[in-house]
Amino acid sequence: MKIDMSYGSGGKQTGNLINEVFLKHFNNKTLNKLEDSAVLNIKGKIAYTTDSFVVTPLFFKGGNIGKLAVCGTVNDLSVMGAVPKFLTAGFIIEEGAELESIEQIAASMALAAKEAAIRIVAGDTKVVEGNGGIYINTSGIGEIRKEGISISNCRPKDAIILSGNLGEHHAAILSHRMGIENQIASDCAPLSFIVKNLLDENIRVHCMRDVTRGGLATVLNEAADQSSCRMEIWEETLPVSPQVRGFCDILGLDPLYMANEGKMIAVVPENQAQKALEAVWKSKYGKNARIIGTVLEGRGVTMKTRLQGSRTIDVLYGEGLPRIC
Amino acid sequence: MIDQVIRELKHYDGRPVKIMEVCGTHTSSIFKNGIRTMISPKIQLISGPGCPVCVTSPAYIDKLTEYSLKENHCVLTFGDMMKVKGSRMTLTEARAAGGRVKILYSPLMAVAEAEQNREIRYIFAAVGFETTAPVYSLLLEEIRQKKLKNLKLLTSLKTIMPALSFLCKKEKSIDGFLSPGHVSVITGSGVYRELAARYRKPFVIAGFEGEHILAAIYEIMNQLKKQRFEVKNMYASAVTEEGNQKAASLIKEYFEAGDGFWRGIGTIEQSALRLKKEFSAYDAGSGEEEVEEDMPSGCKCTDVILGRINPTDCPLFKTVCTPFHPIGPCMVSQEGSCGIWYQNS
């Protein structure tokens, strides 16, 4: 069945959409009350974030917009040293969207939320004119477990840990858009376990950041800039799957600039690097983690190349699109 | 072996040597591998005219933007054409002004687009060198087979050999060429022999791995030392003497040579690929716009494309000319010399 404007009227059909899709999948005591606001129990300092998701296609290998909308916000909370607790979800649905697709998306959101132990406690639905697109905004609250983790806290001699292979989300999305058949699946996943493992091991984490749009290069530049130091990474340690490597070679893309949805960096004191790496390895989403570089005095980001040359790594300019030749 | 190559290139202390990498992908790989930091400063690597976006005329962009703003028209293009300035605006600006422009990832996606929306007239921005021309031929085959009336090509296709010949004639200071890898896959290695012999320059074809490029530079240096000027194919896994005959015949089926306008250089005889007359029904008016125009004031892209200066020698580089606000065409593309230097230096 297709969504029409009546689903956004606030009347019977809006009620049906909420009851038969969202409440069915997001079922929890706070949401089920359908009050104007969710009433929550929060202890101490909170982390609070919001993000909007507008991905095309809505469904891709390894996930869909719903899974992305939950994981994206969970990850933004997690890398601030917070335990994700509550999520709100706002849907903007274009008329013509399939009700079945919305149900699939809601089911994925419920599954991802369960895995990340976060509850979806409030939401909103609007229907607008259009051609069947779906957009989701999620906001999340987490309880701060460890304070002081910040993009401006990297220090010389820290080690940089990357939690896994680069470029998988971006390559999966582009493959779908270009109609290329391959086995590349999005890495879309919650990072809360990796963070929990690091904090459980009492690692003195200086900085964490999820590596999303703009890729690793952009995140490292932000960290170097905010912390007034230089990041040096080593090309031969960067984890990239052979499939993504091949895909990038053909299209002239660089995995350093490609978006990820289940990867993070952790910047930790050098003497805790090995212990931290082992903690990351304990999560199923951190099995390919590596120490990829070090923090030095100075400015900017450089890479020691496989051939032992030196390359400056700048931020991404514009979009990372396949080029003509 | 590679260690020895690196050692020798690092410690070279002879006369200053200028090697041109014609192809933007080589320029990009040189930066990605940090090759400039691994060789003597006396070996100067300079970029050539091998970025199709950089050498596309502003008048061609004007034509695309005009089409995009016409009722029931839509321009289909690769992403890197979006920021190139015509004499009035870019395709990005045209889209913001209400124009219809769609970014594609492969020319063949245009067919699906045109089939789905028969009421829209699609103009495909067919830009590129020998490497992309065969795909445009395949696109034309699809258009013909499906009898599509609402998809036409506006071409700005160029061939690199006439440009290399032009460079050899005009730019005496270039000592040797790192021949373009992708183009050579189509043309074959044999096409460089006449230029190598006539102008006494080494032409060495390399792949895109750092080791390949270093080995090619080493080969050029050795040839220069021994006063030999030969064609050497160091990308034999992909490039043959005769090239890809199938691709070449696909090009020949739909296109013929004509004079081509290169932004920053001017007209180079027989350097364009134009749709043959019998296929004019699929042509959206290609070539009509190509008249010489001035480069933006202060812009040194001409000198960059001809290998006379490095991008950093241009007074506009990183001052007013940036990837966010490109003044000259070389700053626009990921393959453009200035864009690559900005991102990596």
Side-chain angles (χ1 to χ4, degrees):
Chain A
M1 192 190 293
K2 288 189 193 297
I3 294 285
D4 60 40
M5 295 300 280
S6 66
Y7 282 85
S9 65
K12 176 77 178 157
Q13 272 146 309
T14 308
N16 286 349
L17 183 62
I18 292 169
N19 287 309
E20 288 165 24
V21 178
F22 297 129
L23 285 183
K24 183 172 112 188
H25 290 284
F26 303 161
N27 174 42
N28 63 66
K29 277 182 194 166
T30 312
L31 182 68
N32 293 354
K33 286 181 183 166
L34 289 178
E35 300 281 6
D36 279 348
S37 298
V39 179
L40 310 171
N41 273 324
I42 305 281
K43 294 174 206 143
K45 276 198 175 177
I46 62 162
Y48 180 32
T49 187
T50 188
D51 206 345
S52 298
F53 298 84
V54 294
V55 66
T56 309
L58 295 173
F59 294 88
F60 45 83
K61 212 175 271 180
N64 60 45
I65 190 171
K67 184 179 181 188
L68 206 60
V70 172
C71 293
T73 293
V74 163
N75 294 347
D76 283 346
L77 295 171
S78 300
V79 294
M80 289 304 291
V83 179
K85 297 298 260 185
F86 304 109
L87 195 80
T88 69
F91 295 84
I92 295 176
I93 302 167
E94 289 182 352
E95 60 180 337
E98 297 285 349
L99 190 60
E100 194 189 11
S101 300
I102 298 170
E103 174 131 27
Q104 265 180 277
I105 288 166
S108 297
M109 292 179 76
L111 204 64
K114 190 175 174 196
E115 186 182 1
I118 193 167
R119 273 191 291 155
I120 300 172
V121 293
D124 177 51
T125 307
K126 295 282 185 292
V127 178
V128 298
E129 288 178 16
N131 298 306
I134 298 172
Y135 312 101
I136 304 175
N137 171 274
T138 50
S139 291
I141 291 177
E143 285 175 355
I144 293 284
R145 183 175 160 192
K146 168 109 171 102
E147 285 188 49
I149 296 170
S150 163
I151 194 85
S152 59
N153 259 359
C154 305
R155 297 168 197 169
K157 291 190 181 169
D158 279 354
I160 307 163
I161 293 171
L162 174 66
S163 67
N165 294 357
L166 290 174
E168 284 161 358
H169 177 70
H170 201 141
I173 294 285
L174 272 186
S175 300
H176 195 291
R177 286 185 194 165
M178 297 170 76
I180 296 173
E181 282 290 324
N182 57 35
Q183 297 305 309
I184 302 170
S186 167
D187 61 342
C188 180
L191 295 168
S192 38
F193 302 104
I194 294 180
V195 174
K196 181 178 183 298
N197 291 348
L198 284 169
L199 300 185
D200 283 353
E201 291 291 335
N202 286 321
I203 306 291
R204 292 195 307 281
V205 182
H206 288 158
C207 163
M208 289 191 285
R209 198 77 185 247
D210 53 338
V211 184
T212 54
R213 282 183 303 166
L216 180 67
T218 303
V219 167
L220 290 175
N221 268 283
E222 285 167 2
D225 189 40
Q226 293 289 319
S227 299
S228 300
C229 54
R230 180 159 79 90
M231 304 275 175
E232 183 189 83
I233 54 171
W234 312 309
E235 185 177 23
E236 59 193 349
T237 65
L238 286 179
V240 182
S241 75
Q243 290 85 354
V244 170
R245 173 82 61 205
F247 182 82
C248 290
D249 284 348
I250 291 167
L251 293 174
L253 296 168
D254 188 340
L256 277 177
Y257 293 92
M258 290 169 74
N260 312 271
E261 290 296 345
K263 297 291 153 29
M264 59 176 277
I265 57 159
V267 181
V268 303
E270 193 180 26
N271 61 5
Q272 291 202 309
Q274 190 56 34
K275 194 177 167 194
L277 186 61
E278 284 162 18
V280 176
W281 282 338
K282 280 185 198 162
S283 159
K284 66 174 173 177
Y285 300 120
K287 294 215 181 305
N288 292 319
R290 307 255 183 94
I291 297 169
I292 59 156
T294 185
V295 182
L296 301 166
E297 301 274 358
R299 281 300 174 97
V301 180
T302 54
M303 177 197 269
K304 196 178 273 180
T305 69
R306 198 171 42 83
L307 294 170
Q308 303 305 304
S310 176
R311 170 188 169 192
T312 303
I313 306 291
D314 210 340
V315 296
L316 175 70
Y317 298 110
E319 290 174 273
L321 289 167
R323 56 174 187 254
I324 289 171
C325 70
Chain B
M1 175 63 188
I2 195 70
D3 290 342
Q4 188 199 330
V5 166
I6 293 169
R7 216 171 19 251
E8 288 198 28
L9 291 176
K10 182 88 190 165
H11 295 111
Y12 171 77
D13 198 24
R15 73 170 177 92
V17 165
K18 217 168 169 182
I19 298 172
M20 174 177 274
E21 76 273 0
V22 180
C23 166
T25 314
H26 274 149
T27 307
S28 183
S29 183
I30 284 166
F31 274 108
K32 279 185 182 165
N33 287 284
I35 285 177
R36 274 195 183 77
T37 66
M38 300 162 69
I39 62 175
S40 160
K42 289 196 164 178
I43 306 171
Q44 197 190 347
L45 302 178
I46 52 170
S47 308
C51 164
V53 173
C54 303
V55 293
T56 297
S57 79
Y60 175 82
I61 307 294
D62 288 346
K63 195 138 196 181
L64 288 176
T65 55
E66 278 165 26
Y67 269 127
S68 77
L69 291 160
K70 261 174 115 169
E71 202 178 339
N72 290 331
H73 282 66
C74 178
V75 169
L76 304 173
T77 178
F78 287 114
D80 45 5
M81 290 296 289
M82 292 297 291
K83 286 192 291 174
V84 196
K85 193 101 179 164
S87 63
R88 292 181 291 278
M89 62 172 94
T90 64
L91 281 170
T92 305
E93 286 162 348
R95 192 155 72 172
R100 212 183 289 201
V101 183
K102 198 153 187 179
I103 297 171
L104 296 189
Y105 302 93
S106 145
L108 297 177
M109 289 169 76
V111 171
E113 191 72 31
E115 274 186 308
Q116 280 163 21
N117 306 291
R118 301 265 179 179
E119 73 288 0
I120 297 172
R121 290 178 188 175
Y122 288 96
I123 310 298
F124 191 96
V127 176
F129 289 118
E130 290 93 331
T131 40
T132 25
V135 191
Y136 296 134
S137 294
L138 291 175
L139 172 64
L140 285 159
E141 293 209 330
E142 285 272 303
I143 296 174
R144 287 174 69 203
Q145 199 192 330
K146 300 203 159 157
K147 296 189 169 60
L148 280 174
K149 303 278 183 213
N150 61 332
L151 174 56
K152 291 185 179 191
L153 273 63
L154 188 70
T155 68
S156 179
L157 284 165
K158 295 182 172 64
T159 50
I160 205 76
M161 289 311 295
L164 281 179
S165 179
F166 175 90
L167 277 166
C168 285
K169 224 179 288 175
K170 298 267 181 189
E171 301 301 319
K172 307 269 189 263
S173 66
I174 301 169
D175 295 291
F177 289 90
L178 191 60
S179 297
H182 290 146
V183 166
S184 302
V185 172
I186 310 293
T187 62
S189 55
V191 294
Y192 302 104
R193 294 202 190 285
E194 195 202 328
L195 289 182
R198 187 192 298 176
Y199 295 101
R200 296 173 60 77
K201 316 258 186 205
F203 280 78
V204 179
I205 303 162
F208 300 98
E209 297 293 330
E211 289 93 335
H212 293 175
I213 293 171
L214 280 166
I217 296 168
Y218 185 71
E219 168 66 24
I220 291 171
M221 295 303 291
N222 262 339
Q223 285 199 28
L224 292 173
K225 193 167 133 193
K226 293 174 186 164
Q227 288 287 291
R228 278 173 23 210
F229 310 101
E230 296 165 358
V231 176
K232 180 114 183 193
N233 178 11
M234 300 182 77
Y235 194 26
S237 58
V239 177
T240 61
E241 173 75 13
E242 304 79 23
N244 184 332
Q245 297 289 319
K246 196 176 167 195
S249 63
L250 265 173
I251 296 175
K252 266 188 196 155
E253 195 173 336
Y254 288 95
F255 298 98
E256 61 190 4
D259 292 349
F261 178 81
W262 296 59
R263 189 176 196 176
I265 297 178
T267 299
I268 300 178
E269 282 178 18
Q270 300 294 290
S271 67
L273 285 174
R274 300 196 183 287
L275 266 169
K276 286 181 177 172
K277 278 210 172 65
E278 62 255 47
F279 302 115
S280 57
Y282 308 104
D283 194 336
S286 312
E288 293 163 10
E289 72 289 343
E290 294 185 0
V291 287
E292 191 155 357
E293 273 150 284
D294 290 336
M295 296 291 283
S297 172
C299 170
K300 300 276 183 201
C301 278
T302 300
D303 293 330
V304 170
I305 288 168
L306 294 175
R308 293 172 187 156
I309 61 166
N310 280 329
T312 44
D313 299 324
C314 173
L316 305 188
F317 183 77
K318 273 196 176 179
T319 52
V320 289
C321 186
T322 68
F324 310 105
H325 181 63
I327 303 292
C330 296
M331 187 59 90
V332 175
S333 166
Q334 295 172 63
E335 291 291 279
S337 309
C338 298
I340 295 171
W341 278 70
Y342 189 98
Q343 184 96 29
N344 293 283
S345 63

